Amino acid sequence: MTELRRQSLTAYGMPLCETIVACPQPQGSEVLVRIDRCGVCHSDLHMQDGYFLLGDDKKLDVRAGRTLPFTLGHEIAGVIEHAGPDARDAMPGRAVAVYPWIGCGACPACRRGEENICAASRYLGINVDGGFASHVLVPHPRYLLDHAPLPASFAATLMCSGLTAYAALKRLKAHAAHGPVLLVGMGGVGMMGLALARAMFAHAPLVADIDPNKRAAALAAGAAAAFDPSDAGARKAVLAATGGGVCAACDFVGSERSLAFAAGALAKGGKAVITGLFGGTFTMPVAMFALKAMAIEGTQTGTLAEAREVVDLARAKKLAPPPIGERPLHEAQSALEQLRAGRVLGRLVLTA
Ligand SMILES: [Zn+2]
Ligand SMILES: [Zn+2]
């Protein structure tokens, strides 16, 4: 019997540790994927903590809905090892990226193809065992996406950071036709957003980050200009550079300050999309929404169709992957710690 080696969450707030069980046999339409790469995402930190910070010392408890030991990791690429009797088209040996945002399949959101916002989700690495492991069980082959010639590490990161950035930027498409988008936060998702914005929009994006190294990396990756939002004059500098503000902004951080900066940089009629989950509380005088004719929208990852779109876009536009640092699976905990310390440029990916 093949072993399933996992870097498991055995208690919230505690380091991951290795657990070994027998590899499950895929039943019905299930497919067993041998994992080649799995990205490390900020959400993994929140899952390890057991909560998201909501601001004003309020926490969103996320400990319900999974049993411990649990396997985190939702940016998965691997090779099909076995398929259940109802998944015969899933040929063993095929290299695939795994769409992790799997829903119940029955609710209204799932029926309109938005499994990523299902209320009874079965997300891999969030509700169901994920990718910090040697293998993952996927409920149906439709969640497996061919990614050649993209390398597995890049394909893996497209399933969360890439997909999240893509789905957010898609919601800014009409606004982005009028001028450069402002991308706030040049972490893993933000850097992916920068590459995608360059491929999707006519104007090179503006970026903002408090870290000078991240600003430099963004400029090297094709940002038109980079701003330091902790600089008191940054908002005015964006307004000056754009003749009165941007029409579209994306907040990849999701903090009080990042959203205040993104919303403050909008021109009249502008729109900001939030993907980040950093935490905090945002306040704005209600009348400003009408007076500025502004929109603020939240988005969570993306649909299966959007996952296919972003893989196709990455192939067609020969998108350069963001900086990717690879670490062996058994170093999952130290990878999480590096991310927590904010010391990661681009993305960390665990290798089999
Ligand atoms: Zn993620
Ligand atoms: Zn559902």
Side-chain angles (χ1 to χ4, degrees):
M1 189 108 211
T2 320
E3 280 180 346
L4 171 55
R5 287 178 297 106
R6 317 174 292 189
Q7 285 293 320
S8 296
L9 180 66
T10 54
Y12 290 99
M14 297 299 286
L16 303 184
C17 61
E18 183 173 70
T19 62
I20 300 174
V21 290
C23 224
Q25 274 295 327
Q27 312 289 320
S29 65
E30 291 174 345
V31 181
L32 185 70
V33 173
R34 178 163 44 79
I35 296 171
D36 187 15
R37 296 288 187 278
C38 185
V40 182
C41 175
H42 267 104
S43 312
D44 295 314
L45 299 178
H46 299 303
M47 289 298 132
Q48 184 176 36
D49 294 338
Y51 59 83
F52 284 88
L53 285 174
L54 295 178
D56 299 329
D57 295 327
K58 285 200 210 71
K59 291 174 179 179
L60 175 67
D61 193 324
V62 291
R63 289 174 298 177
R66 77 188 65 79
T67 50
L68 303 184
F70 183 79
T71 314
L72 299 169
H74 51 265
E75 290 191 339
I76 307 168
V79 173
I80 295 175
E81 191 153 290
H82 291 302
D86 304 328
R88 289 214 181 83
D89 53 337
M91 288 301 289
R94 224 176 92 203
V96 290
V98 181
Y99 176 80
W101 312 112
I102 298 170
C104 69
C107 74
C110 284
R111 277 183 284 147
R112 57 175 193 261
E114 295 181 288
E115 291 189 59
N116 57 308
I117 54 168
C118 172
S121 56
R122 299 181 291 161
Y123 303 158
L124 302 180
I126 306 287
N127 314 108
V128 174
D129 280 333
F132 292 176
S134 57
H135 298 76
V136 66
L137 200 57
V138 181
H140 194 279
R142 71 198 203 92
Y143 302 113
L144 305 177
L145 285 72
D146 293 317
H147 60 74
L150 305 177
S153 54
F154 186 26
T157 61
L158 285 177
M159 294 299 104
C160 178
S161 54
L163 176 59
T164 299
Y166 173 74
L169 293 174
K170 227 177 116 173
R171 284 160 175 75
L172 291 169
K173 206 172 168 199
H175 291 77
H178 309 310
V181 295
L182 172 66
L183 310 178
V184 180
M186 287 292 109
V189 185
M191 283 298 283
M192 194 76 96
L194 172 57
L196 289 165
R198 291 191 63 217
M200 293 165 73
F201 304 143
H203 309 274
L206 311 176
V207 302
D209 199 290
I210 52 173
D211 180 342
N213 294 327
K214 290 181 178 159
R215 290 199 300 275
L219 287 169
F227 301 89
D228 176 3
S230 67
D231 172 350
R235 182 176 160 269
K236 277 199 173 136
V238 174
L239 300 188
T242 52
V246 295
C247 295
C250 193
D251 179 5
F252 294 113
V253 181
S255 76
E256 212 160 309
R257 286 182 168 185
S258 62
L259 183 57
F261 187 73
L266 289 180
K268 262 193 168 184
K271 177 176 177 180
V273 172
I274 308 160
T275 72
L277 296 164
F278 187 90
T281 303
F282 174 75
T283 57
M284 177 170 275
V286 177
M288 288 306 287
F289 283 88
L291 291 170
K292 278 187 80 175
M294 69 190 286
I296 295 185
E297 184 175 318
T299 176
Q300 188 183 18
T301 68
T303 65
L304 178 57
E306 286 168 338
R308 294 186 192 286
E309 288 169 21
V310 75
V311 170
D312 287 346
L313 181 71
R315 286 162 152 168
K317 298 273 187 173
K318 299 190 169 50
L319 224 65
I324 289 176
E326 296 193 330
R327 302 280 185 278
L329 175 61
H330 66 85
E331 289 181 17
Q333 178 57 34
S334 74
L336 287 171
E337 282 162 17
Q338 269 182 286
L339 188 62
R340 199 181 283 276
R343 289 201 306 265
V344 178
L345 201 58
R347 209 66 167 164
L348 285 182
V349 173
L350 302 176
T351 64

